[in-house]
Amino acid sequence: MSNIGNYDKQVKNFTWEISEKELEYKKGDVINIGEYCSDRICRLGKGDKLALIWQGHSGDVKKYTFDRMRVLTNTIAQYLVDKEIKPGERVCLFMDKIPELYFGFLGILKMGGICQPLFSAFGGESLFTRLEDAETTAVLTQKKHLGKIRKIVQDLPHLKHIIVVDDEGRKPLREKECSFSMEKEKGIEHFDIYPATAETPSVLHYTSGTTGKPKGALHVHYSLVSQYMTAKYVLDFQEEDIYWCTADPGWVTGTSYGIIGPWSNGITQCVLDAGFRVESWYRFIRDHGITVWYSAPTAIRSLMKDGTAAAKKFNLSSLRHLCSVGEPLNSEAVIWSTKAYGLTFHDTFWQTETGSMMISNYPGMKIKPGSMGKPFPAVSATVVDLKTHEPIEKPGIVGLIAIKPGWPSMFRTYWNNEEVYKSKFINGWYICGDRASIDEEGYFWFVGRDDDVINTGGHLVGPFEVESALIEHEAIAESAVVGKPDPVNMEVVKAFITLNPGYEPTDMLELKIMNFIRKKLSPLAMPQEIEFMDKLPKTRSGKIMRRMLKAKEWGEEIGDTSTLEDE
Ligand code: PRX
């Protein structure tokens, strides 16, 4: 029997109070996610249970029990307090998927800091924009990433501490830098956990929009009430499960369901700190006996490329429940997984801003391949008219996905950007910015984003950020960036550029520009294709018409061009 049982019954009966009760939380109580994920699980008698099985790229494995994790997260928290980092200050995690990243997350929360996880693949500019916006006080990082921080630290007056977690005192450190080894430090048995309450800020996740700089979605400790229960019902955790979430904690999936969801449920999880390779992924599942697997469509499509034979080479019989998030999960992938693993991927839809799953396919519910499923019980979701923003009553009509505010893990603001935050709420609905329709049985069908943000391999890239970075290259006069269809990543970044006088469009220049963006922003934001143009299509007011360029890439009607400058 699954945890959720009968979905329709849950829709009638479930309230968030049920989750609060399971967590033994009452309004006004202290609620610290760091405590809930480690100390509380030990209090429940699971201190000796494995919390984390970690595997590095060279195959080395480290294992930590909940009790060891409790001590290590205390140790990190105490170190931050000793550094005089205050509750409410932003502490960034800029690391690969090493154990320090996971324990650092809980340690920061335990001392009341706001955790700001950033992908270690980010280049200097991506890192700088986010640290500057958040006025971040401290960064925990690895020595291999120190160089990127050193290049920008002089322009970040708020950044007081750069804490290198794997240096072991070898590298000569500079001003503001310090070396800290969580394993070598004297373990802290008792730490005074910061008495966070429901609305105390917890996590700041940056996400990209169509315009402007990336925005920091701010979450609070009360988000646990959603994350705990969605993990229990959708990922269907059972006591003996061995869980694998493939997401990096630089992305909200990697924190909500790669840290908080499993550990607040007292579940053992595995982390693989290595890039994607079909065989190593299957070997990882087999060797650790993974039972519940949460991944993303791009990874599933990459596995599909190797066919079912690759899957059959390994004994993957431990797997019992599969879920997916981040991009549309095409029906072919759902059908293929049934052939390859004898199990169906359950699609889930949510966002950085929602903090937890909003629309999902539940164990035991009929799956319609290609559909995102139905709203989580107690989440009120619908589609609203594209113009009036009134709920659409008729099935099959495309509108904007909208959610009634009030679920516990809703973001509370965009950091320093309350105005944009407010603009996301219309007619009493939170507007997700995605288009979908609902069928006569209440299933949601994703159609596409309602803006120009590019979703490449499940990761959002803001075209404006890439365009701004491109024009910093000496050869480039103007740029426009759009998503181009891709069979594996769904979309990849494509740039249209015009060159400054004296530059010729050559293959070499294209490569140089790609590399320039990869280093400055990230490998994901790097254009996979650059088209040199004599001029870019613009409106009469001089705005570049991305829409036209995008339509061309997708083979769609170009639409209304009446405001084009050449007409
Ligand atoms: O466009 C939707 C897409 O990813 C966006 C949210 O991205 P992010 O904030 O990075 O968080 C992703 C992980 C929770 C959404 O607005 N998206 C997410 N899940 C799905 C999806 N698109 C289609 N199907 C999904 N299941």
Side-chain angles (χ1 to χ4, degrees):
M1 178 70 167
S2 65
N3 288 333
I4 192 167
N6 181 293
Y7 171 79
D8 294 317
K9 267 197 195 151
Q10 292 284 5
V11 170
K12 284 200 196 96
N13 301 329
F14 181 80
T15 62
W16 294 116
E17 281 77 44
I18 294 174
S19 176
E20 290 180 354
K21 220 168 166 182
E22 286 194 15
L23 291 165
E24 299 167 285
Y25 166 83
K26 288 189 301 314
K27 282 215 171 4
D29 280 357
V30 163
I31 178 171
N32 187 310
I33 292 174
E35 199 272 344
Y36 265 95
C37 289
S38 55
D39 301 58
R40 179 170 182 266
I41 303 301
C42 296
R43 275 205 312 282
L44 294 175
K46 297 195 214 172
D48 292 334
K49 182 176 175 178
L50 283 180
L52 176 64
I53 302 171
W54 175 89
Q55 188 176 312
H57 43 79
S58 52
D60 43 328
V61 173
K62 292 184 186 174
K63 295 182 179 179
Y64 302 86
T65 62
F66 275 97
D67 194 58
R68 180 80 183 128
M69 176 162 88
R70 179 187 65 77
V71 172
L72 290 173
T73 52
N74 280 351
T75 311
I76 295 173
Q78 187 62 57
Y79 185 78
L80 298 176
V81 169
D82 292 346
K83 286 268 156 205
E84 296 183 0
I85 295 165
K86 301 276 175 302
E89 291 190 337
R90 276 72 58 212
V91 182
C92 170
L93 293 167
F94 188 59
M95 285 184 239
D96 298 350
K97 292 194 278 180
I98 56 174
E100 284 83 348
L101 172 61
Y102 295 82
F103 300 161
F105 182 87
L106 298 183
I108 294 166
L109 297 183
K110 277 187 165 181
M111 53 72 62
I114 302 178
C115 183
Q116 182 192 18
L118 295 177
F119 286 112
S120 60
F122 273 157
E125 176 110 2
S126 292
L127 182 63
F128 178 78
T129 323
R130 290 158 176 84
L131 294 179
E132 185 191 37
D133 187 63
E135 299 187 338
T136 307
T137 305
V139 184
L140 279 93
T141 192
Q142 288 165 275
K143 54 178 182 266
K144 69 196 253 201
H145 300 304
L146 193 55
K148 289 191 223 172
I149 304 172
R150 283 182 172 171
K151 283 199 184 121
I152 55 176
V153 62
Q154 71 282 359
D155 297 318
L156 294 166
H158 293 91
L159 186 58
K160 297 199 187 80
H161 307 282
I162 302 161
I163 303 165
V164 187
V165 300
D166 61 347
D167 169 55
E168 290 161 8
R170 278 202 296 271
K171 196 161 183 140
L173 297 177
R174 300 183 184 170
E175 197 198 337
K176 296 187 179 182
E177 296 174 0
C178 49
S179 167
F180 164 75
S181 159
M182 76 174 181
E183 310 255 13
K184 294 212 171 109
E185 200 86 1
K186 188 175 171 300
I188 302 289
E189 262 305 314
H190 302 287
F191 175 77
D192 279 338
I193 295 176
Y194 181 74
T197 50
E199 293 304 305
T200 305
S202 55
V203 184
L204 185 62
H205 264 299
Y206 276 76
T207 179
S208 298
T210 306
T211 53
K213 290 183 176 176
K215 299 178 294 290
L218 184 68
H219 289 279
V220 295
H221 282 266
Y222 187 61
S223 69
L224 173 71
V225 171
S226 289
Q227 289 149 345
Y228 163 79
M229 210 62 191
T230 48
K232 179 170 173 178
Y233 278 1
V234 185
L235 300 171
D236 193 42
F237 288 140
Q238 310 292 331
E239 186 56 42
E240 298 308 319
D241 271 326
I242 307 284
Y243 166 65
W244 182 28
C245 170
T246 60
D248 186 305
W251 192 39
V252 70
T253 307
T255 57
S256 292
Y257 298 103
I259 299 179
I260 306 172
W263 284 340
S264 63
N265 276 277
I267 293 299
T268 304
Q269 70 159 331
C270 295
V271 167
L272 177 61
D273 181 23
F276 176 83
R277 275 192 39 233
V278 176
E279 298 233 331
S280 49
W281 272 37
Y282 286 149
R283 198 169 296 122
F284 187 69
I285 294 173
R286 183 199 61 195
D287 290 353
H288 299 291
I290 309 279
T291 56
V292 179
W293 184 20
Y294 195 22
S295 198
T298 290
I300 301 163
R301 286 191 290 268
S302 304
L303 294 165
M304 270 171 84
K305 278 207 305 193
D306 274 44
T308 49
K312 301 276 184 230
K313 257 175 48 192
F314 294 84
N315 178 358
L316 306 178
S317 60
S318 57
L319 288 172
R320 68 164 191 88
H321 186 45
L322 318 180
C323 293
S324 162
V325 64
E327 326 147 55
L329 181 66
N330 38 326
S331 51
E332 295 81 0
V334 177
I335 294 161
W336 177 81
S337 87
T338 320
K339 282 195 213 134
Y341 316 118
L343 297 164
T344 313
F345 269 99
H346 292 64
D347 193 14
T348 66
F349 168 90
W350 57 292
Q351 302 179 306
T352 303
E353 287 85 344
T354 69
S356 68
M357 298 157 176
M358 293 286 104
I359 299 167
S360 303
N361 290 280
Y362 307 91
M365 189 176 94
K366 178 176 83 178
I367 289 188
K368 297 188 181 183
S371 158
M372 305 193 296
K374 297 187 180 188
F376 190 78
V379 167
S380 168
T382 188
V383 292
V384 297
D385 184 84
L386 298 173
K387 291 207 172 79
T388 65
H389 297 102
E390 289 300 335
I392 298 172
E393 306 295 342
K394 258 176 79 183
I397 310 282
V398 174
L400 296 170
I401 303 177
I403 301 164
K404 239 323 130 250
W407 71 97
S409 65
M410 189 177 90
F411 70 136
R412 298 302 199 257
T413 191
Y414 285 124
W415 193 257
N416 286 335
N417 214 337
E418 182 71 9
E419 211 177 300
V420 177
Y421 173 74
K422 284 197 181 130
S423 73
K424 298 270 174 165
F425 298 86
I426 305 176
N427 285 350
W429 293 96
Y430 164 67
I431 309 293
C432 291
D434 288 299
R435 294 183 182 197
S437 66
I438 308 176
D439 69 16
E440 53 298 324
E441 288 181 289
Y443 284 76
F444 281 63
W445 296 80
F446 187 81
V447 173
R449 286 190 63 94
D450 191 48
D451 58 19
D452 289 338
V453 171
I454 301 159
N455 187 335
T456 178
H459 293 273
L460 304 187
V461 174
F464 177 78
E465 218 185 339
V466 186
E467 287 163 359
S468 310
L470 279 166
I471 53 173
E472 283 179 40
H473 189 281
E474 55 188 11
I476 299 175
E478 287 180 311
S479 69
V481 163
V482 301
K484 158 188 149 89
D486 182 83
V488 172
N489 288 289
M490 193 175 89
E491 281 184 293
V492 288
V493 175
K494 172 162 181 182
F496 295 85
I497 57 169
T498 60
L499 292 175
N500 280 322
Y503 289 93
E504 290 299 318
T506 61
D507 289 351
M508 183 54 90
L509 181 60
E510 184 179 2
L511 278 179
K512 276 191 179 157
I513 295 171
M514 286 174 172
N515 207 25
F516 177 75
I517 298 298
R518 187 178 59 80
K519 279 205 176 136
K520 213 174 176 50
L521 298 180
S522 72
L524 279 172
M526 181 184 86
Q528 301 289 318
E529 189 182 327
I530 294 178
E531 191 167 326
F532 296 98
M533 310 273 281
D534 292 331
K535 60 198 287 201
L536 295 175
K538 286 192 197 137
T539 62
R540 286 200 193 100
S541 60
K543 220 173 134 223
I544 294 169
M545 290 192 78
R546 266 196 216 120
R547 185 167 52 85
M548 269 191 67
L549 297 166
K550 188 172 172 188
K552 195 172 114 242
E553 289 308 311
W554 290 80
E556 289 165 359
E557 289 283 310
I558 292 193
D560 180 16
T561 55
S562 57
T563 52
L564 264 184
E565 106 189 314
D566 285 349
E567 289 199 330

